[in-house]
Amino acid sequence: MAHAIWSGAINFGLVTIPVKLQTAIRTNDLRFNFLHKKDEGRINNVRRCSLDGEDVTYDDIVRGYEYEKGHYVILSDDDLKSVNPEATQSVDIVQFVELSEINPMYFDKPYYLEPDKRGRHAYALLREALKTSGKVGIAKVVIRSREHLAALKPNGDALVLELMHFADEIVDQSSLEFPASETPHENEMKVAKMLIDTMTEPFDAEQFKDTYREQVLAMIEARAAGKQTEAAPTKAPRRDNVVNLMDVLQKSLEASKKERSVGARGDAKSSAEKPKKTTKRKTSAA
Amino acid sequence: MARTTETLEVGGHSLSLSNRDKVLWPEDGYTKGDLVEYYRLAAPYILPQIADRPLTLQRYPDGIDGPSFFEKNAPKYLPGWIPTVTVKSEFGRSETVRFVLCNDEATLVYVANLAAIVLHVWTSRAQTLDNPDFLFFDLDPGDGCTLATLAKVAVGLRETLGEIGLQPLVKSSGGSGLHVAIPLTPRYSYEFCKGFAELVARTLNGRLPALTTLQRSPAKRPAGTVYLDYVQVGKGKTLVAPFSVRARAKAPVSMPLGWDEVEAMTRKRAKDTEGEFARFTLKNAPPLMKERAALWGGKAWKEQPLEAALKKARQAWQ
């Protein structure tokens, strides 16, 4: 968990603060496996070439951009790297702004910046300075070889790096239809405000749970339990179970012995025949 | 990253190895080259264990943090000199699965180059596919299970088997658990072996009810217990091979253990079991393997019949 995404530094002015970039958000998504309906076999993803029908390994896969139908430009990892101005592992602060100036819609995903031992003092200084000034830093940062815009915000004792959307990623709301502002009726407004007042309470994130996840997990548990009783009935007292099992095994052993003595009279498949250890092997017919 | 390919001569075969420098364990910095190197050093010890056994590859093309997949069917581009065995699929009606048989160092290198970190093998060999040559118990510690509890259960299993004249072997899974195996004369059906394993597991569970569970659903297993997995016995079911590397931090390997070591673990205070077994890694295991191979193979690998054991069980456990 404490595995850093990268180790690098915050740069602003002439100051460099060594930090590690750490994940701040855990995804709690339920993971399902795709299974074959009839036999519950796991479904494998196969990367198959559409031209020769061969399965292809990652080593033999390149990236192509279809610039014209059926025509591709191939770009290698190196090509893409060369476009990245400077894929340095650093948070380069380019300006400071008031937090309230940034529309929250621009915020995408937070990361923690954890100071290196050498950087603890400067780290704390920057954090306190941000807190007192009420400002946040706007920075450029490279994560997984892509440059992002980000805001550097104090958060308790931590500095949080919040990745931001670029302006052209936000859908222009004028492309949708919203009612223009109008002066509402005074009484209606009063009622609406009163309703808001009565429902106002301090925000407590802990109060909200992912009920979908919990319900699905409960369902899975119940089903697994059902399968369990189906597969291995344990209702009978254990003692009887063991004794029954011994009887079944004894019978099976006797039955197979009979079979073997039949096989010994000329059945080539006789399992009594001692296998040779390393030589002769069944190879594929194909 | 620039792709590199180099050619390696192994056992008369020219193998082209790609991207040796690709990091498979980001935290430890081990690369695919390290994996290949490990399996070359391990070859004399792992090959006698996996030879002629249908092999399932667990491949991690983008390293242990990336997606992985199980590959049973030999890839179409498999070189012709690598032997395979074709098995009728247990599920599909007419389907067959063509498994790789890893019988020499060159194949092992070929497989490692596919970023197949974990090697899973059948418990029977190609000559006697329907008759396992060992029966194993997967001792799987649940949440809150200490090393001492796991070790006590393993020792209890050994004693239980000893009562009916069977001598088991033990190895770490490379993850958090232990594998206990009884080498067999390969003449029993999988069904019989599964029933036998169930008999032993139920008996042990009756003796150590507080330390063990037979509950298959992980959510329902009591905290701090060891799951006695006898369901893993069956045709097509696999075991992580001894000396196989695991796709976990530190690159631990599945290592044969001495029973004296397991006895000593019953007195250790370790909270988690993984730390104990992660002592053996891709980096430090090779010099130990010669000695360790003698614990799970060689003279220690005594094929045992089950008729007498069952007879004894009927007398002792009724």
Side-chain angles (χ1 to χ4, degrees):
Chain A
M1 194 54 227
H3 175 44
I5 294 161
W6 55 244
S7 299
I10 302 174
N11 296 320
F12 76 106
L14 293 173
V15 186
T16 296
I17 307 170
V19 287
K20 284 190 183 117
L21 187 68
Q22 304 274 17
T23 310
I25 302 290
R26 229 194 323 261
T27 24
N28 275 339
D29 285 348
L30 289 167
R31 285 189 51 194
F32 289 100
N33 292 315
F34 284 123
L35 303 178
H36 191 179
K37 196 173 174 181
K38 75 172 180 202
D39 60 18
E40 299 190 2
R42 282 280 283 271
I43 303 297
N44 289 335
N45 286 320
V46 176
R47 292 162 302 282
R48 182 163 294 158
C49 176
S50 60
L51 286 183
D52 61 13
E54 298 268 306
D55 291 355
V56 182
T57 60
Y58 281 110
D59 288 347
D60 290 328
I61 292 178
V62 294
R63 279 189 206 86
Y65 183 86
E66 190 170 33
Y67 65 94
E68 191 181 291
K69 187 118 182 93
H71 295 271
Y72 298 88
V73 171
I74 306 294
L75 291 180
S76 70
D77 289 359
D78 288 337
D79 292 333
L80 292 176
K81 243 183 201 167
S82 71
V83 178
N84 248 314
E86 256 180 285
T88 49
Q89 302 200 323
S90 58
V91 176
D92 297 319
I93 300 180
V94 291
Q95 67 172 121
F96 291 93
V97 301
E98 297 281 344
L99 177 59
S100 57
E101 281 179 64
I102 307 173
N103 182 333
M105 280 187 67
Y106 279 97
F107 293 127
D108 182 14
K109 191 177 177 192
Y111 290 85
Y112 289 122
L113 288 170
E114 195 183 19
D116 209 71
K117 256 187 223 134
R118 291 170 295 143
R120 296 180 73 87
H121 180 73
Y123 184 95
L125 179 64
L126 174 59
R127 182 193 65 212
E128 291 312 310
L130 287 174
K131 272 190 193 167
T132 353
S133 64
K135 298 205 169 143
V136 300
I138 297 296
K140 290 191 160 180
V141 58
V142 174
I143 294 176
R144 300 204 174 96
S145 78
R146 268 207 55 195
E147 190 175 73
H148 296 266
L149 178 66
L152 186 68
K153 306 177 187 170
N155 190 53
D157 286 343
L159 280 174
V160 164
L161 186 75
E162 179 125 34
L163 297 195
M164 295 172 67
H165 297 291
F166 287 106
D168 63 3
E169 288 178 272
I170 308 250
V171 176
D172 185 357
Q173 65 183 47
S174 68
S175 63
L176 301 168
E177 249 187 84
F178 304 103
S181 63
E182 49 186 277
T183 329
H185 198 275
E186 203 181 315
N187 277 342
E188 283 175 348
M189 188 67 168
K190 223 171 162 181
V191 174
K193 273 183 159 171
M194 226 167 68
L195 190 63
I196 291 175
D197 281 343
T198 57
M199 287 179 66
T200 298
E201 42 185 314
F203 178 67
D204 173 13
E206 294 279 329
Q207 204 184 314
F208 301 94
K209 301 276 184 223
D210 182 352
T211 51
Y212 171 78
R213 182 183 148 81
E214 282 174 4
Q215 284 172 15
V216 176
L217 277 176
M219 190 191 288
I220 289 172
E221 206 173 302
R223 294 267 167 93
K227 253 191 169 171
Q228 170 63 21
T229 47
E230 231 170 76
T234 47
K235 274 175 195 146
R238 186 179 291 127
R239 199 113 273 276
D240 289 356
N241 234 322
V242 168
V243 174
N244 286 343
L245 203 49
M246 287 197 244
D247 290 341
V248 171
L249 286 172
Q250 190 65 46
K251 272 180 201 142
S252 143
L253 207 54
E254 279 154 18
S256 76
K257 236 176 215 158
K258 251 179 228 161
E259 210 175 88
R260 250 185 286 143
S261 57
V262 171
R265 277 199 298 254
D267 183 353
K269 273 190 197 154
S270 164
S271 51
E273 194 180 313
K274 266 230 159 182
K276 286 181 193 120
K277 258 279 140 76
T278 47
T279 50
K280 244 214 283 177
R281 61 186 69 101
K282 284 182 204 165
T283 44
S284 139
Chain B
M1 203 191 296
R3 296 184 190 290
T4 58
T5 303
E6 56 185 88
T7 309
L8 193 66
E9 288 290 328
V10 186
H13 299 288
S14 227
L15 297 166
S16 75
L17 302 184
S18 55
N19 293 331
R20 277 189 84 93
D21 297 331
K22 180 154 205 166
V23 174
L24 297 182
W25 281 267
E27 253 173 275
D28 306 280
Y30 300 146
T31 62
K32 205 166 83 174
D34 292 324
L35 183 71
V36 169
E37 184 57 26
Y38 169 81
Y39 276 122
R40 290 199 74 182
L41 293 168
Y45 312 107
I46 193 171
L47 287 173
Q49 289 303 329
I50 65 174
D52 292 331
R53 300 189 187 281
L55 178 69
T56 298
L57 309 176
Q58 196 178 359
R59 296 176 56 183
Y60 291 80
D62 291 328
I64 64 168
D65 294 336
S68 78
F69 56 99
F70 285 89
E71 195 165 67
K72 292 183 174 188
N73 239 323
K76 282 210 185 84
Y77 46 82
L78 191 80
W81 50 267
I82 297 181
T84 57
V85 60
T86 301
V87 178
K88 227 175 152 187
S89 167
E90 294 291 291
F91 302 118
R93 261 155 256 159
S94 59
E95 286 227 2
T96 57
V97 183
R98 191 167 73 108
F99 285 93
V100 169
L101 296 177
C102 183
N103 293 358
D104 55 29
E105 187 185 343
T107 308
L108 198 52
V109 170
Y110 177 84
V111 157
N113 182 53
L114 298 175
I117 294 176
V118 194
L119 305 179
H120 303 260
V121 290
W122 280 34
T123 62
S124 56
R125 304 206 193 222
Q127 297 84 351
T128 47
L129 271 185
D130 291 326
N131 306 106
D133 67 343
F134 69 95
L135 187 163
F136 80 99
F137 299 89
D138 183 8
L139 304 186
D140 185 8
D143 284 343
C145 176
T146 61
L147 179 65
T149 300
L150 175 66
K152 277 178 198 160
V153 171
V155 169
L157 175 56
R158 184 194 188 205
E159 284 166 2
T160 303
L161 291 168
E163 284 172 21
I164 56 172
L166 296 174
Q167 293 168 20
L169 308 175
V170 61
K171 73 177 180 74
S172 67
S173 69
S176 57
L178 288 172
H179 293 153
V180 173
I182 310 162
L184 296 178
T185 325
R187 64 162 181 255
Y188 308 102
S189 68
Y190 269 108
E191 203 190 351
F192 177 81
C193 290
K194 187 173 180 171
F196 193 87
E198 180 175 353
L199 170 67
V200 174
R202 288 196 182 283
T203 304
L204 182 61
N205 180 235
R207 291 175 183 191
L208 301 174
L211 304 185
T212 60
T213 176
L214 300 174
Q215 180 58 252
R216 281 167 79 173
S217 153
K220 293 189 140 192
R221 292 178 198 158
T225 59
V226 176
Y227 172 49
L228 302 175
D229 192 349
Y230 60 86
V231 189
Q232 290 304 317
V233 177
K235 188 171 179 186
K237 297 277 174 79
T238 60
L239 171 81
V240 170
F243 305 116
S244 167
V245 187
R246 302 302 302 262
R248 293 166 171 256
K250 295 191 180 124
V253 305
S254 171
M255 192 59 114
L257 301 171
W259 280 108
D260 52 340
E261 283 177 283
V262 180
E263 298 253 7
M265 285 173 202
T266 63
R267 296 182 291 273
K268 285 197 182 174
R269 288 248 174 109
K271 274 254 160 60
D272 81 314
T273 60
E274 276 171 66
E276 173 74 18
F277 303 132
R279 285 189 294 140
F280 305 110
T281 69
L282 165 152
K283 269 281 146 213
N284 67 22
L288 308 171
M289 288 191 290
K290 190 175 178 192
E291 195 181 310
R292 297 271 165 185
L295 296 168
W296 188 283
K299 279 182 196 152
W301 190 272
K302 267 184 242 149
E303 291 187 348
Q304 301 167 67
L306 292 178
E307 285 87 349
L310 183 61
K311 207 170 175 186
K312 281 188 189 153
R314 284 172 78 86
Q315 286 157 6
W317 299 348
Q318 287 267 2

